[in-house]
Amino acid sequence: MSLQNMTSMLQRAQKNGYAVGAFNIVDYNSMRAVIDAAEELRAPVIVQTSVKTVLFWGYEAVMSWMTQLTQQAAIPVAIHVDHCTDIEVIKRCIDAGWTSVMIDASAKPFAENIRLTRQVLDMTASCGVSVEAELGAIVGVEDDIHVKAQEAHLADPDQAAQFCHELQLDCFAPAVGTAHGVYKGEPKIAYDLIKEIAARTGVPLALHGGTGLSDAVFRKCIGLGCAKVNISTQLKYAHIDGFVNYHQENKVYNPLKPLAAQYNALKAAVAENIKLFGGAGQA
Ligand code: 13P
């Protein structure tokens, strides 16, 4: 078990109607909280790193935490770089031991998106690293990618079918109406589009912009074929609030105390999502 790519965990999830939670971590404490929560619930899990996080700590540091934390783990864990637009960074991640990568060339013209995604698939073909790619434009801010509401557009179903026909993806992220960050108002999810893309591609779908969606929305999207659900913003809040709230209440200048409170807040948020996505007991 333990450290692996996300191919078989997503295929199993797709077949059995649940989703694997993919949680963006920012440091050792958040990585530990994600893996411990999944371990306690016996759930497969995807640890996601933004490019900024990787560059902040360095490839080797992040991978050394991962290796140490998964050595004893009895569950399947993947380490995945999220929304990467830079092929050089993808190469460095693969060399450092990442088991999964997302090439995000969705801002490029369709043919260029296919070409760059194919380049990444060629790089990973011999090393067993799984690949996710995106089509359409998901509104909001994720890492250094900013998409304004007027620039956002859903994935075109014919292009989605062609994209997945030409590329052997492990996971496909079509824009379906969700948003990165905090929702302003009720999200308009294109359920029919999810259904059509799932049917026409057969590829496990990634639902981006998980923070703030209702339980009912998650259940519906997962039932239609979303086998990977991304959660980032909710964990950023748990990270900061877990630390700050403890300090404000206790005013103790022992950093290990608020760090423990931060860990507990992160772990609780991850556990809640894993249970909601149906991943508990699936490892
Ligand atoms: P949120 O920040 O909205 O949870 O989205 C996460 C995401 O999709 C990361 O790629």
Side-chain angles (χ1 to χ4, degrees), residues 24 48 82-83 142 179-181 208-211 230-234:
N24 289 60
Q48 278 188 166
D82 194 23
H83 287 287
E142 184 58 48
H180 291 129
H208 282 247
T211 299
N230 287 8
I231 301 285
S232 175
T233 303
Q234 186 188 357

Side-chain angles (χ1 to χ4, degrees), residues 4 51 67 92 172 215 225 246:
Q4 56 181 253
V51 174
T67 310
R92 292 278 311 266
F172 178 48
D215 296 8
Y246 182 90

Side-chain angles (χ1 to χ4, degrees), residues 74-176:
I75 52 165
V77 185
I79 177 160
H80 178 75
V81 63
D82 194 23
H83 287 287
C84 190
T85 55
D86 184 338
I87 301 262
E88 274 314 302
V89 172
I90 288 185
K91 212 179 270 171
R92 292 278 311 266
C93 283
I94 294 171
D95 290 346
W98 263 251
T99 59
S100 190
V101 297
M102 176 179 186
I103 168 70
D104 182 356
S106 58
K108 308 270 188 210
F110 183 62
E112 182 66 358
N113 190 355
I114 290 196
R115 192 189 68 75
L116 288 165
T117 304
R118 183 171 289 126
Q119 199 177 330
V120 172
L121 284 165
D122 290 344
M123 274 164 53
T124 57
S126 59
C127 56
V129 166
S130 48
V131 177
E132 173 180 345
E134 177 174 325
L135 191 66
I138 299 171
V139 72
V141 180
E142 184 58 48
D143 214 18
D144 272 340
I145 303 169
H146 299 242
V147 179
K148 297 198 188 91
Q150 61 272 28
E151 293 162 355
H153 58 91
L154 302 183
D156 174 84
D158 292 332
Q159 284 192 337
Q162 188 188 340
F163 196 77
C164 292
H165 180 72
E166 291 194 24
L167 303 163
Q168 297 301 307
L169 296 174
D170 300 285
C171 183
F172 178 48
V176 293

Side-chain angles (χ1 to χ4, degrees), residues 262-278:
Q262 179 183 70
Y263 166 83
N264 289 331
L266 285 162
K267 195 170 150 196
V270 171
E272 169 196 299
N273 283 300
I274 288 176
K275 286 188 223 157
L276 182 57
F277 305 158

Side-chain angles (χ1 to χ4, degrees), residues 18-76:
Y18 63 93
V20 180
F23 301 99
N24 289 60
I25 60 94
V26 294
D27 61 5
Y28 180 81
N29 215 22
S30 43
M31 186 188 277
R32 189 169 69 109
V34 169
I35 295 170
D36 288 355
E39 181 88 67
E40 276 183 26
L41 291 169
R42 308 214 51 77
V45 76
I46 298 162
V47 171
Q48 278 188 166
T49 56
S50 71
V51 174
K52 266 191 190 156
T53 296
V54 178
L55 299 182
F56 185 88
W57 296 106
Y59 298 82
E60 284 72 24
V62 175
M63 191 44 73
S64 71
W65 309 333
M66 192 68 192
T67 310
Q68 187 249 316
L69 288 169
T70 54
Q71 239 155 28
Q72 304 296 327
I75 52 165

